[in-house]
PDB file of all heavy atoms in Angstrom:
ATOM      1  N   GLY A 174    -106.979  21.647   4.936  1.00 73.00           N
ATOM      2  CA  GLY A 174    -106.604  20.742   6.019  1.00 73.00           C
ATOM      3  C   GLY A 174    -105.671  19.623   5.628  1.00 73.00           C
ATOM      4  O   GLY A 174    -105.314  18.793   6.475  1.00 73.00           O
ATOM      5  N   HIS A 175    -105.250  19.568   4.368  1.00 73.00           N
ATOM      6  CA  HIS A 175    -104.348  18.488   3.973  1.00 73.00           C
ATOM      7  C   HIS A 175    -102.955  18.748   4.519  1.00 73.00           C
ATOM      8  O   HIS A 175    -102.374  19.809   4.287  1.00 73.00           O
ATOM      9  CB  HIS A 175    -104.297  18.370   2.449  1.00 73.00           C
ATOM     10  CG  HIS A 175    -103.413  17.254   1.977  1.00 73.00           C
ATOM     11  ND1 HIS A 175    -103.732  15.928   2.171  1.00 73.00           N
ATOM     12  CD2 HIS A 175    -102.215  17.268   1.348  1.00 73.00           C
ATOM     13  CE1 HIS A 175    -102.768  15.172   1.671  1.00 73.00           C
ATOM     14  NE2 HIS A 175    -101.838  15.961   1.166  1.00 73.00           N
ATOM     15  N   ARG A 176    -102.413  17.765   5.246  1.00 71.00           N
ATOM     16  CA  ARG A 176    -101.127  17.946   5.910  1.00 71.00           C
ATOM     17  C   ARG A 176    -100.005  17.125   5.292  1.00 71.00           C
ATOM     18  O   ARG A 176     -98.890  17.121   5.798  1.00 71.00           O
ATOM     19  CB  ARG A 176    -101.260  17.557   7.398  1.00 71.00           C
ATOM     20  CG  ARG A 176    -102.364  18.314   8.121  1.00 71.00           C
ATOM     21  CD  ARG A 176    -102.503  17.832   9.551  1.00 71.00           C
ATOM     22  NE  ARG A 176    -103.617  18.487  10.227  1.00 71.00           N
ATOM     23  CZ  ARG A 176    -103.975  18.224  11.482  1.00 71.00           C
ATOM     24  NH1 ARG A 176    -103.312  17.320  12.183  1.00 71.00           N
ATOM     25  NH2 ARG A 176    -104.995  18.851  12.034  1.00 71.00           N
ATOM     26  N   GLY A 177    -100.275  16.420   4.243  1.00 69.00           N
ATOM     27  CA  GLY A 177     -99.245  15.589   3.632  1.00 69.00           C
ATOM     28  C   GLY A 177     -99.165  14.220   4.275  1.00 69.00           C
ATOM     29  O   GLY A 177     -99.773  13.950   5.309  1.00 69.00           O
ATOM     30  N   ALA A 178     -98.371  13.351   3.668  1.00 72.00           N
ATOM     31  CA  ALA A 178     -98.264  11.975   4.143  1.00 72.00           C
ATOM     32  C   ALA A 178     -97.418  11.901   5.407  1.00 72.00           C
ATOM     33  O   ALA A 178     -96.549  12.734   5.644  1.00 72.00           O
ATOM     34  CB  ALA A 178     -97.648  11.103   3.049  1.00 72.00           C
ATOM     35  N   VAL A 179     -97.703  10.896   6.245  1.00 80.00           N
ATOM     36  CA  VAL A 179     -96.908  10.633   7.450  1.00 80.00           C
ATOM     37  C   VAL A 179     -96.131   9.340   7.235  1.00 80.00           C
ATOM     38  O   VAL A 179     -96.314   8.637   6.235  1.00 80.00           O
ATOM     39  CB  VAL A 179     -97.802  10.525   8.700  1.00 80.00           C
ATOM     40  CG1 VAL A 179     -98.596  11.791   8.898  1.00 80.00           C
ATOM     41  CG2 VAL A 179     -98.744   9.318   8.585  1.00 80.00           C
ATOM     42  N   ASP A 180     -95.289   9.012   8.185  1.00 87.00           N
ATOM     43  CA  ASP A 180     -94.531   7.774   8.127  1.00 87.00           C
ATOM     44  C   ASP A 180     -95.489   6.589   8.023  1.00 87.00           C
ATOM     45  O   ASP A 180     -96.425   6.476   8.825  1.00 87.00           O
ATOM     46  CB  ASP A 180     -93.667   7.652   9.382  1.00 87.00           C
ATOM     47  CG  ASP A 180     -92.914   6.335   9.411  1.00 87.00           C
ATOM     48  OD1 ASP A 180     -92.057   6.129   8.549  1.00 87.00           O
ATOM     49  OD2 ASP A 180     -93.226   5.511  10.298  1.00 87.00           O
ATOM     50  N   PRO A 181     -95.299   5.712   7.037  1.00 90.00           N
ATOM     51  CA  PRO A 181     -96.224   4.581   6.871  1.00 90.00           C
ATOM     52  C   PRO A 181     -96.367   3.717   8.126  1.00 90.00           C
ATOM     53  O   PRO A 181     -97.460   3.227   8.419  1.00 90.00           O
ATOM     54  CB  PRO A 181     -95.598   3.789   5.717  1.00 90.00           C
ATOM     55  CG  PRO A 181     -94.814   4.801   4.937  1.00 90.00           C
ATOM     56  CD  PRO A 181     -94.288   5.754   5.961  1.00 90.00           C
ATOM     57  N   ALA A 182     -95.280   3.529   8.861  1.00 92.00           N
ATOM     58  CA  ALA A 182     -95.362   2.716  10.085  1.00 92.00           C
ATOM     59  C   ALA A 182     -96.265   3.376  11.116  1.00 92.00           C
ATOM     60  O   ALA A 182     -97.067   2.706  11.791  1.00 92.00           O
ATOM     61  CB  ALA A 182     -93.963   2.495  10.661  1.00 92.00           C
ATOM     62  N   GLU A 183     -96.158   4.689  11.248  1.00 94.00           N
ATOM     63  CA  GLU A 183     -97.025   5.426  12.171  1.00 94.00           C
ATOM     64  C   GLU A 183     -98.484   5.316  11.739  1.00 94.00           C
ATOM     65  O   GLU A 183     -99.384   5.133  12.561  1.00 94.00           O
ATOM     66  CB  GLU A 183     -96.594   6.897  12.215  1.00 94.00           C
ATOM     67  CG  GLU A 183     -97.475   7.785  13.088  1.00 94.00           C
ATOM     68  CD  GLU A 183     -97.070   9.248  12.987  1.00 94.00           C
ATOM     69  OE1 GLU A 183     -95.910   9.529  12.626  1.00 94.00           O
ATOM     70  OE2 GLU A 183     -97.933  10.108  13.263  1.00 94.00           O
ATOM     71  N   HIS A 184     -98.696   5.401  10.425  1.00 95.00           N
ATOM     72  CA  HIS A 184    -100.049   5.303   9.882  1.00 95.00           C
ATOM     73  C   HIS A 184    -100.632   3.918  10.173  1.00 95.00           C
ATOM     74  O   HIS A 184    -101.769   3.792  10.619  1.00 95.00           O
ATOM     75  CB  HIS A 184    -100.001   5.560   8.371  1.00 95.00           C
ATOM     76  CG  HIS A 184    -101.309   5.938   7.763  1.00 95.00           C
ATOM     77  ND1 HIS A 184    -101.462   7.017   6.944  1.00 95.00           N
ATOM     78  CD2 HIS A 184    -102.539   5.371   7.855  1.00 95.00           C
ATOM     79  CE1 HIS A 184    -102.716   7.100   6.551  1.00 95.00           C
ATOM     80  NE2 HIS A 184    -103.388   6.107   7.088  1.00 95.00           N
ATOM     81  N   ARG A 185     -99.820   2.872   9.945  1.00 95.00           N
ATOM     82  CA  ARG A 185    -100.293   1.502  10.193  1.00 95.00           C
ATOM     83  C   ARG A 185    -100.618   1.283  11.663  1.00 95.00           C
ATOM     84  O   ARG A 185    -101.623   0.639  11.992  1.00 95.00           O
ATOM     85  CB  ARG A 185     -99.249   0.487   9.731  1.00 95.00           C
ATOM     86  CG  ARG A 185     -99.216   0.251   8.239  1.00 95.00           C
ATOM     87  CD  ARG A 185     -98.386  -0.977   7.899  1.00 95.00           C
ATOM     88  NE  ARG A 185     -96.986  -0.808   8.271  1.00 95.00           N
ATOM     89  CZ  ARG A 185     -96.058  -0.264   7.486  1.00 95.00           C
ATOM     90  NH1 ARG A 185     -96.398   0.186   6.289  1.00 95.00           N
ATOM     91  NH2 ARG A 185     -94.810  -0.165   7.886  1.00 95.00           N
ATOM     92  N   ARG A 186     -99.785   1.802  12.553  1.00 96.00           N
ATOM     93  CA  ARG A 186    -100.045   1.628  13.997  1.00 96.00           C
ATOM     94  C   ARG A 186    -101.384   2.245  14.382  1.00 96.00           C
ATOM     95  O   ARG A 186    -102.154   1.659  15.162  1.00 96.00           O
ATOM     96  CB  ARG A 186     -98.909   2.254  14.809  1.00 96.00           C
ATOM     97  CG  ARG A 186     -97.637   1.428  14.852  1.00 96.00           C
ATOM     98  CD  ARG A 186     -96.687   1.922  15.928  1.00 96.00           C
ATOM     99  NE  ARG A 186     -96.214   3.270  15.646  1.00 96.00           N
ATOM    100  CZ  ARG A 186     -95.112   3.536  14.940  1.00 96.00           C
ATOM    101  NH1 ARG A 186     -94.395   2.554  14.421  1.00 96.00           N
ATOM    102  NH2 ARG A 186     -94.738   4.792  14.741  1.00 96.00           N
ATOM    103  N   ALA A 187    -101.666   3.430  13.856  1.00 97.00           N
ATOM    104  CA  ALA A 187    -102.929   4.092  14.194  1.00 97.00           C
ATOM    105  C   ALA A 187    -104.122   3.306  13.663  1.00 97.00           C
ATOM    106  O   ALA A 187    -105.131   3.134  14.360  1.00 97.00           O
ATOM    107  CB  ALA A 187    -102.927   5.518  13.629  1.00 97.00           C
ATOM    108  N   VAL A 188    -104.003   2.788  12.450  1.00 97.00           N
ATOM    109  CA  VAL A 188    -105.108   2.018  11.870  1.00 97.00           C
ATOM    110  C   VAL A 188    -105.307   0.715  12.637  1.00 97.00           C
ATOM    111  O   VAL A 188    -106.447   0.293  12.885  1.00 97.00           O
ATOM    112  CB  VAL A 188    -104.855   1.746  10.373  1.00 97.00           C
ATOM    113  CG1 VAL A 188    -105.923   0.812   9.804  1.00 97.00           C
ATOM    114  CG2 VAL A 188    -104.836   3.051   9.592  1.00 97.00           C
ATOM    115  N   ARG A 189    -104.212   0.064  13.044  1.00 96.00           N
ATOM    116  CA  ARG A 189    -104.334  -1.172  13.828  1.00 96.00           C
ATOM    117  C   ARG A 189    -104.983  -0.904  15.175  1.00 96.00           C
ATOM    118  O   ARG A 189    -105.824  -1.687  15.636  1.00 96.00           O
ATOM    119  CB  ARG A 189    -102.956  -1.793  14.012  1.00 96.00           C
ATOM    120  CG  ARG A 189    -102.386  -2.442  12.761  1.00 96.00           C
ATOM    121  CD  ARG A 189    -100.936  -2.838  12.955  1.00 96.00           C
ATOM    122  NE  ARG A 189    -100.364  -3.430  11.751  1.00 96.00           N
ATOM    123  CZ  ARG A 189     -99.077  -3.603  11.550  1.00 96.00           C
ATOM    124  NH1 ARG A 189     -98.208  -3.234  12.489  1.00 96.00           N
ATOM    125  NH2 ARG A 189     -98.633  -4.144  10.425  1.00 96.00           N
ATOM    126  N   ALA A 190    -104.596   0.178  15.815  1.00 97.00           N
ATOM    127  CA  ALA A 190    -105.195   0.517  17.109  1.00 97.00           C
ATOM    128  C   ALA A 190    -106.678   0.804  16.949  1.00 97.00           C
ATOM    129  O   ALA A 190    -107.502   0.385  17.779  1.00 97.00           O
ATOM    130  CB  ALA A 190    -104.480   1.728  17.715  1.00 97.00           C
TER     131      ALA A 190
END
Side-chain angles (χ1 to χ4, degrees):
H175 181 69
R176 305 177 184 179
V179 302
D180 177 65
E183 177 185 337
H184 199 130
R185 282 193 296 272
R186 283 194 295 270
V188 174
R189 287 171 181 165

